[in-house]
Amino acid sequence: MFMKKILLLCCFCTTTYAQLPQQSLRAGGIAVLPLPSNVQQVSYNHQSVLITQEQNQKYAVVGIPLSTPVGTTYAQIDTQSVPIHVQPYAYAEQHIKLQNQSYVQPSSIQLERYKTEAQEQHQIYTSFTPSNTLPQFIAPTKGKFSNSFGRKRFFNEEERAPHSGLDIPAPVGQTVIAPADGTVVKTGDYFFNGKTVFIDHGQGLITMLCHLSEIDVQAGQTVKQGEAIAKVGKTGRVTGPHLHWGMSLNDARVDPQLFIAR
């Protein structure tokens, strides 16, 4: 019965649950799997998975990495492997012209800096803080979403990794707020991301806010949804002022729009 319920759920590409993220079974999407009440541990790609409860039903909320091919992948629910059927999804292409060539072909010193920063961020994305709640999310600043998540990017016609966040065009100095309750785990000024704030929302769910002009919080600080934490900028690898909003779930970068109620 348990497997039948999971298989039925995975037949659909998009399903919405009240108080839960929207399910979208695609690379960069989310799988929402109903669980028996006695399940204690869920993992995916050797990462612990967020578990939450809606009314009397328990769910696993699984982030699907952007690199995941179309087909069947598996989550581990206690000792049972449960299929997640990843569907095709047509992400757009984005061709960007950069004046600063170092953001296309970094020097050896810049590459070493990037490597150090990437390792630092990896430690944040793979962390898992116990929590009994799944917070609700709102947009971290005012502006129209650009639907840039997942775009195949070409910088000066050289292909790079897909865009792993959502861009919100906005003027420099516009207020950035915490999209949900959490704890600031890191702030910094990074080569590609510019000035950045990382917020831990518990159970491997991390927010990353990039290209800031000003940061008004510090590591270890608890923030509440709607609290002002920074200002929009154009630091790092950008062509203009905007906020890059990234979401990581079990070390998978997923579309932040799936966390916003519609």
Side-chain angles (χ1 to χ4, degrees), residues 114-170:
Y114 167 71
K115 180 180 178 180
T116 299
E117 292 174 349
Q119 291 173 342
E120 183 179 285
Q121 293 175 53
H122 177 72
Q123 292 178 347
I124 296 171
Y125 293 142
T126 55
S127 63
F128 192 87
T129 305
S131 174
N132 295 321
T133 60
L134 172 62
Q136 300 302 296
F137 284 81
I138 58 175
T141 199
K142 295 179 181 178
K144 184 178 180 180
F145 295 166
S146 66
N147 291 321
S148 60
F149 179 84
R151 283 181 180 171
K152 301 174 183 178
R153 296 185 300 173
F154 296 81
F155 291 101
N156 297 356
E157 300 308 319
E158 294 190 27
E159 186 173 3
R160 292 294 183 266
H163 191 241
S164 61
L166 178 69
D167 287 343
I168 306 176

Side-chain angles (χ1 to χ4, degrees), residues 6-7 10-12 25-26 71-74 83-87:
I6 293 290
L7 288 169
C10 290
C11 288
F12 299 92
L25 299 179
R26 55 177 162 106
T72 303
T73 183
Y74 293 87
I84 298 173
H85 302 298
V86 180
Q87 306 295 316

Side-chain angles (χ1 to χ4, degrees), residues 5 10-11 30 56 88-89 94 98 105 112 130 139 143 172 187 196 216 221 259 261-262:
K5 191 173 184 181
C10 290
C11 288
I30 293 171
N56 295 322
Y89 193 89
Q94 184 179 29
L98 294 174
Q105 295 291 344
E112 191 61 32
V172 171
T187 66
T196 301
D216 301 318
Q221 183 174 336
F259 285 89
R262 293 186 176 182

Side-chain angles (χ1 to χ4, degrees), residues 47-103:
Q47 286 287 130
S48 294
V49 165
L50 187 152
I51 297 176
T52 190
Q53 187 156 324
E54 176 63 24
Q55 297 180 356
N56 295 322
Q57 177 63 58
K58 186 181 285 189
Y59 295 92
V61 182
V62 185
I64 305 171
L66 270 167
S67 59
T68 306
V70 171
T72 303
T73 183
Y74 293 87
Q76 192 72 21
I77 299 179
D78 284 342
T79 59
Q80 187 173 16
S81 294
V82 174
I84 298 173
H85 302 298
V86 180
Q87 306 295 316
Y89 193 89
Y91 286 116
E93 289 187 1
Q94 184 179 29
H95 294 259
I96 301 171
K97 181 67 175 179
L98 294 174
Q99 298 302 318
N100 188 341
Q101 187 65 22
S102 67
Y103 285 125

